Amino acid sequence: MADIEAYGGSFTLQWHITHRCNLRCTHCYQDDYTAFESGEALGKILRQYEELLKKYSFKGYLNITGGEPLTHPSLFWLLEEAAKMKIKTAVLTNGTMIGKREARMLKACGVYYVQVSLDGTEKAHDRIRGEGNFCRAVSGIQALRNAGIFTTVSITAQRENLGELPRLARFCRDIGVNKLWYDRVVIPKSEDTSHLSLTAKDFVKLSRRAARLNSKGMVSCARALQFIPCKQKDIYRCTAGDRLLTVLADGSVMACRRLPIVSGNVRERSLLDIYGNDPELIKLRSAGIPKECEECAYSKLCAGGAKCIAYAKSGRYDIPDPDCSFIDKKQSIRR
């Protein structure tokens, strides 16, 4: 896995172009809402990304987020510049700042898709993200669909919205959302004072609900561990530090936004240098499948599950995802 010279294929950069946001969600990963890159700085970082892609013959996928990316005045310019470089772009947003004009502009910039966060139906969503924001987000989704943009919805599963997935799935189907997927909230154990994180039992219950919805074509279960009860063939495995990097609005580089280990800063070193030479990223790429998972029938598909969950709950990312129902603490399930 460490031989990146031979890779090719795709490489995703999740880029938080600003930490400014018009919302203050209860599960937000940020503790700073001021960091903000100028348009000139964004151009420099984009060229660094292009350099990395060319070096390793990667195909680029750029997920632009925040904070709230629609608060940045250079967002549409950045999307246009990325398109000139033949880099596919997506925008990850809370949806509340998208109207007809913004949707038309996103369409003109050639975005691959737009992802809007909904953390349940109206009551649950507004409890997490603030009163009135469900209606604003849904209005944004309708503007995106009217503009002909492939629109996905993501729900961050936590204790407060654990039962919301079926209702949200039906709602998203009714308003024409192209895809709904869910992921688990990731909060370090020592910081989870509100006990928002799911337990392993919670995750099993959620996965079973998702499997029933998946069989009806209402929800995607391609994320870590979710594909097992859903028997989904299109699998997304954790590629943090390998085919995925994150750049924050202060220039910090991380393998994944939810794996809080900083590997450098693009204001001081190039993205290419950080990716190729940072010891932590090299370690991540070389980690392989956890020993406890080697005999599991799914090991090559999921490679141990979500590293960020393992790190949040244990302080280590080189062990199996602790929410996996196939690990009985003593031995892995055999083929």
Side-chain angles (χ1 to χ4, degrees), residues 38 45 79 97 101 114 125 127 150:
S38 68
I45 298 170
L79 291 169
M97 298 181 68
R101 175 177 175 273
V114 174
H125 181 87
R127 184 171 63 248
F150 190 95

Side-chain angles (χ1 to χ4, degrees), residues 80-250:
E80 290 172 349
E81 291 299 301
K84 292 175 185 176
M85 298 176 181
K86 302 188 184 306
I87 297 171
K88 285 191 173 182
T89 56
V91 173
L92 283 53
T93 171
N94 62 42
T96 63
M97 298 181 68
I98 297 176
K100 292 181 180 179
R101 175 177 175 273
E102 290 77 16
R104 287 196 297 265
M105 292 173 70
L106 289 166
K107 180 68 174 180
C109 292
V111 291
Y112 186 44
Y113 69 91
V114 174
Q115 174 184 295
V116 178
S117 297
L118 288 180
D119 287 320
T121 48
E122 186 170 4
K123 185 176 180 180
H125 181 87
D126 283 358
R127 184 171 63 248
I128 293 169
R129 292 180 178 260
E131 187 175 352
N133 286 315
F134 179 83
C135 290
R136 296 183 187 101
V138 171
S139 177
I141 290 170
Q142 291 170 333
L144 292 167
R145 295 300 299 125
N146 289 338
I149 296 173
F150 190 95
T151 306
T152 71
V153 163
S154 71
I155 175 172
T156 301
Q158 51 189 286
R159 299 297 291 276
E160 289 191 5
N161 64 2
L162 191 55
E164 285 290 307
L165 188 60
R167 288 188 290 272
L168 182 62
R170 290 190 290 271
F171 178 81
C172 286
R173 179 193 58 192
D174 292 345
I175 65 172
V177 169
N178 295 101
K179 183 173 76 170
L180 167 65
W181 65 274
Y182 70 100
D183 220 338
R184 292 165 279 175
V185 70
V186 182
I187 305 174
K189 188 175 181 180
S190 61
E191 299 176 16
D192 192 12
T193 55
S194 298
H195 305 291
L196 297 178
S197 299
L198 302 185
T199 65
K201 289 183 178 180
D202 290 333
F203 182 61
V204 168
K205 291 179 182 177
L206 180 64
S207 297
R208 288 173 179 166
R209 290 191 188 113
R212 291 192 290 271
L213 296 166
N214 177 264
S215 68
K216 300 176 183 178
M218 295 171 65
V219 64
S220 169
C221 298
R223 310 289 285 184
L225 303 181
Q226 299 169 10
F227 68 93
I228 297 173
C230 295
K231 298 180 181 179
Q232 186 158 320
K233 296 179 180 180
D234 180 22
I235 307 304
Y236 175 88
R237 60 188 280 178
C238 179
T239 60
D242 180 6
R243 300 301 185 90
L244 167 70
L245 282 185
T246 295
V247 174
L248 302 185
D250 63 1

Side-chain angles (χ1 to χ4, degrees), residues 267-292:
R267 296 175 180 176
E268 300 165 357
R269 299 165 57 200
S270 73
L271 195 61
L272 176 62
D273 179 30
I274 294 169
Y275 176 68
N277 298 307
D278 179 73
E280 200 66 55
L281 294 178
I282 293 172
K283 183 179 176 182
L284 269 167
R285 288 194 290 271
S286 305
I289 299 169
K291 290 182 179 180
E292 297 91 333

